[in-house]
Amino acid sequence: MVSFKQKLLRKRGIFTDILEAENIRGFAGTEYYFQKTEGKTLSDCIHSHTFFEFVYVLSGACLHVKNGRRESLQPGDLSVILPGQPHCFLSQKARTDIMAMSVRAEEVRRFFALYGLCGFKDSPAFSLTAAKKEVFDEQCGRTAAIGEDAAHLRMLFNQMFLFCVQAGIAEKESLPFAFSAMLDRMQSLELCAEGVEAFVRISGYSHSQLCRLTKKYFDMTPTEYVNRLRMNHAYRLIVGTDADYAAICQTVGFESTSYFSKLVKETFGCSAARLRKKAKEPHKTV
């Protein structure tokens, strides 16, 4: 129960609720919580949370306040709310449709590690290009139609994360220059498929030195790091082509189809066949 004093402080912008993932039902058993407002009014109470929140405007417009700074959000705008940042929605137009993706801080940190980043800057919202907006709107609509499917939520977040990196709001980890340049090269499918041998060869380090570096900066072994990169390529081939799963397994560098299947399920929460099927499902109509 919110007291009269708390309500008064809220109006003055002093009191903020702190929302924790553990206390939100939508987070139960998952790293992600997806919401699509479809015209519903968003919270005008100042609050913060222990997780990251990504707010994307599909249609309409709203006035958002983040860390005391006003943002007039229009269709195609994406705003990132960092853990601990107070924010609220002051107003919104009728029939405004907003997608809000909440992500546990530990999951976001795993993505930072994978891409050699240390965090997001406290930045204003940025706009997607018309082409990116068209594709991303479709992805948001499909995710809303399918529901809380772990594979699609992870895919949607991965896309938003890349948008943030491309917009320049992610800060790079302070990595040795040669190591950072080598990580950029390792993103290629050819080197990923070759595996740890390529990782060692292009790095110029011994295997033990490489192990120390990946452990220090990413808390992963070289094999774990390469497998994460391979799964990124595998996802694109699974949902973007009709290639046989055994062929995809070989293309991204795995010899064992059973091990490949195990990693796909661990990474995306379902089998490759289910992942492809869900990606091709049409929107459900109301």
Side-chain angles (χ1 to χ4, degrees):
M1 179 70 68
V2 179
S3 69
F4 173 78
K5 182 178 179 181
Q6 287 176 335
K7 288 181 179 178
L8 183 61
L9 290 172
R10 275 178 175 168
K11 287 184 178 179
R12 294 178 180 175
I14 299 171
F15 176 79
T16 67
D17 285 330
I18 300 177
L19 306 180
E20 298 184 3
E22 290 71 19
N23 298 327
I24 297 177
R25 186 168 54 185
F27 263 123
T30 182
E31 306 294 334
Y32 307 93
Y33 178 34
F34 176 85
Q35 302 174 81
K36 193 166 177 287
T37 63
E38 297 179 340
K40 295 177 183 177
T41 303
L42 293 159
S43 176
D44 61 355
C45 294
I46 300 173
H47 64 282
S48 62
H49 15 71
T50 60
F51 46 86
F52 287 79
E53 188 169 21
F54 298 78
V55 172
Y56 175 71
V57 181
L58 290 153
S59 62
C62 67
L63 184 59
H64 180 234
V65 176
K66 179 176 69 178
N67 237 16
R69 184 171 54 214
R70 293 192 175 203
E71 299 177 327
S72 180
L73 301 180
Q74 305 295 322
D77 286 350
L78 178 61
S79 183
V80 181
I81 298 98
L82 308 180
Q85 280 191 333
H87 79 112
C88 69
F89 294 86
L90 289 184
S91 63
Q92 66 185 68
K93 290 184 177 180
R95 295 185 295 279
T96 294
D97 194 8
I98 290 175
M99 184 281 295
M101 172 78 86
S102 301
V103 187
R104 290 181 187 267
E106 312 87 76
E107 177 73 353
V108 178
R109 282 195 287 269
R110 281 193 282 269
F111 273 77
F112 286 145
L114 179 62
Y115 288 96
L117 304 168
C118 61
F120 288 130
K121 303 172 187 176
D122 178 14
S123 303
F126 61 90
S127 301
L128 302 188
T129 64
K132 287 180 179 178
K133 180 183 184 309
E134 182 179 358
V135 173
F136 194 58
D137 285 2
E138 173 72 15
Q139 291 175 333
C140 290
R142 178 174 287 114
T143 303
I146 291 172
E148 296 180 2
D149 178 81
H152 274 269
L153 293 180
R154 185 175 285 112
M155 176 273 293
L156 196 69
F157 173 62
N158 185 63
Q159 185 61 74
M160 280 192 294
F161 189 89
L162 290 176
F163 286 153
C164 293
V165 172
Q166 292 163 1
I169 73 166
E171 297 180 300
K172 282 201 170 184
E173 182 70 80
S174 180
L175 301 174
F177 177 78
F179 186 51
S180 179
M182 180 269 298
L183 293 178
D184 290 339
R185 289 184 62 192
M186 273 304 298
Q187 303 288 328
S188 75
L189 176 57
E190 293 75 18
L191 290 174
C192 281
E194 188 179 342
V196 175
E197 292 78 7
F199 207 178
V200 172
R201 187 182 70 253
I202 69 171
S203 71
Y205 299 113
S206 67
H207 187 272
S208 59
Q209 286 176 314
L210 190 58
C211 285
R212 285 194 292 272
L213 286 169
T214 56
K215 180 66 177 176
K216 176 181 178 180
Y217 292 108
F218 308 133
D219 195 27
M220 297 180 188
T221 66
T223 298
E224 289 171 335
Y225 184 84
V226 168
N227 284 345
R228 288 293 294 270
L229 296 179
R230 285 172 167 177
M231 284 296 101
N232 286 345
H233 289 294
Y235 178 84
R236 286 191 285 272
L237 292 171
I238 290 168
V239 304
T241 74
D242 292 319
D244 179 80
Y245 302 126
I248 293 175
C249 170
Q250 291 184 339
T251 299
V252 299
F254 293 106
E255 295 181 359
S256 168
T257 54
S258 60
Y259 183 56
F260 171 72
S261 298
K262 176 177 177 288
L263 282 181
V264 168
K265 191 164 187 179
E266 287 179 355
T267 305
F268 303 111
C270 63
S271 67
R274 182 170 173 77
L275 190 62
R276 176 173 285 173
K277 180 181 178 183
K278 282 187 169 291
K280 292 183 177 180
E281 284 179 353
H283 290 317
K284 297 176 183 177
T285 56
V286 178

